[in-house]
């Protein structure tokens, strides 16, 4: 007897090259029009509209109409997690593009994974927070600790605003380029937003790249000093 969800339909939708490009473009939790997504996928508007209709019908995308424009975005965070996981498998198994994008090094350094920080800096931040016992992992999953609440409060995050959200609070998300975990969930989103609010980083328009300013990256490295650099960082003033 066949049991469980029917995955082949979703796999076929995600696996089509043009649809995969459009879904990937929406990984930055930023709504795009059909015209913009057609450009990303390198296809005509009519073809893009047909693809987008299938993705909306499958509840992989949500659409919002504003005036004459229709804006598409990922339906929810589960879709983003699915795409990030597929990217990780593709990277690990060598299913890479024949010609990489000039932006790929920047994407690997720091990027948005839906609404949280991914890439080398995202992994670094999570590993430092884990080392400082801000989160604990047990059978049910990942949980923030009192030390973690105190850390985020010192960092300028409104802990009450985060915990009042009706969403998953925290999760270890496997990073496709680093093959280690970064922080997802409400706390991961709060961390990235705080980096933006501090002016340390900004999202490059039209991409998933998170670009740090030189002072911002220095402040980030101070705040999230890896164990080998922790002693050096401790001698410096806190930058926030």
């Amino acid at each position: 007897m066949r049991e469980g969800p029917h995955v082949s339909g979703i796999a076929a939708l995600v696996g089509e090259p043009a649809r995969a490009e459009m879904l990937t473009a929406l990984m930055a939790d930023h709504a795009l029009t059909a015209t913009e997504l057609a450009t990303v996928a390198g296809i005509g508007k009519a073809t893009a509209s047909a693809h987008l209709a299938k993705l909306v019908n499958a509840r992989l995308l949500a659409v919002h109409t504003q005036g004459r424009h229709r804006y598409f975005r990922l339906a929810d965070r589960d879709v983003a997690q699915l795409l990030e996981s597929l990217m990780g498998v593709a990277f690990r198994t060598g299913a890479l593009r024949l010609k990489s994008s000039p932006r790929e090094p920047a994407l690997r350094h720091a990027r948005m994974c839906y609404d949280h920080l991914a890439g080398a800096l995202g992994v670094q931040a999570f590993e430092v927070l884990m080392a400082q016992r801000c989160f604990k992992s047990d059978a049910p999953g990942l949980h923030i600790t009192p030390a973690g609440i105190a850390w985020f409060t010192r960092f300028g995050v409104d802990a009450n605003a985060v915990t009042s959200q009706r969403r998953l609070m925290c999760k270890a998300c496997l990073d496709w380029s680093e093959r280690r975990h970064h922080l997802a969930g409400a706390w991961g989103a709060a961390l990235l937003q705080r980096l933006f609010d501090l002016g340390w980083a900004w999202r490059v328009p039209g991409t998933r790249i998170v670009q740090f300013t030189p002072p911002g990256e220095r402040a980030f490295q101070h705040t999230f000093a890896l164990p080998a650099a922790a002693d050096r960082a401790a001698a410096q003033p806190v930058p926030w």
Side-chain angles (χ1 to χ4, degrees), residues 155-222:
F155 194 51
V157 172
D158 184 343
N160 289 330
V162 176
T163 55
S164 65
Q165 298 179 49
R166 298 183 62 181
R167 61 173 292 187
L168 183 70
M169 286 291 103
C170 49
K171 183 174 183 176
C173 182
L174 185 61
D175 195 279
W176 69 258
S177 58
E178 295 297 301
R179 303 306 301 162
R180 304 198 304 279
H181 292 93
H182 59 250
L183 179 63
W187 288 109
L191 175 61
L192 179 59
Q193 186 58 53
R194 182 57 177 157
L195 297 177
F196 290 156
D197 292 343
L198 286 168
W200 293 5
W202 51 286
R203 186 176 73 86
V204 178
T207 76
R208 297 172 58 201
I209 296 169
V210 174
Q211 180 69 57
F212 279 74
T213 66
E217 183 142 1
R218 288 195 296 271
F220 180 93
Q221 293 297 341
H222 180 284

Side-chain angles (χ1 to χ4, degrees), residues 79-138:
V79 178
Q81 183 181 341
L82 168 65
L83 296 172
E84 184 78 5
S85 297
L86 286 173
M87 290 177 190
V89 173
F91 185 74
R92 177 175 57 81
T93 58
L96 306 176
R97 300 176 189 273
L98 294 177
K99 184 177 181 181
S100 62
S101 166
R103 297 186 301 210
E104 188 167 324
L107 282 168
R108 293 190 185 190
H109 186 61
R111 66 180 180 277
M112 292 188 70
C113 177
Y114 197 65
D115 60 358
H116 52 271
L117 181 65
L121 295 189
V123 169
Q124 178 180 336
F126 183 50
E127 291 183 350
V128 169
L129 290 173
M130 288 295 289
Q132 295 182 5
R133 296 182 173 84
C134 292
F135 295 91
K136 66 177 181 179
S137 180
D138 52 28

Side-chain angles (χ1 to χ4, degrees), residues 17-35:
R19 291 194 288 263
E21 292 292 342
M22 291 190 286
L23 287 166
T24 301
L26 294 169
M27 281 284 286
D29 190 26
H30 184 72
L32 297 173
T33 66
T35 299

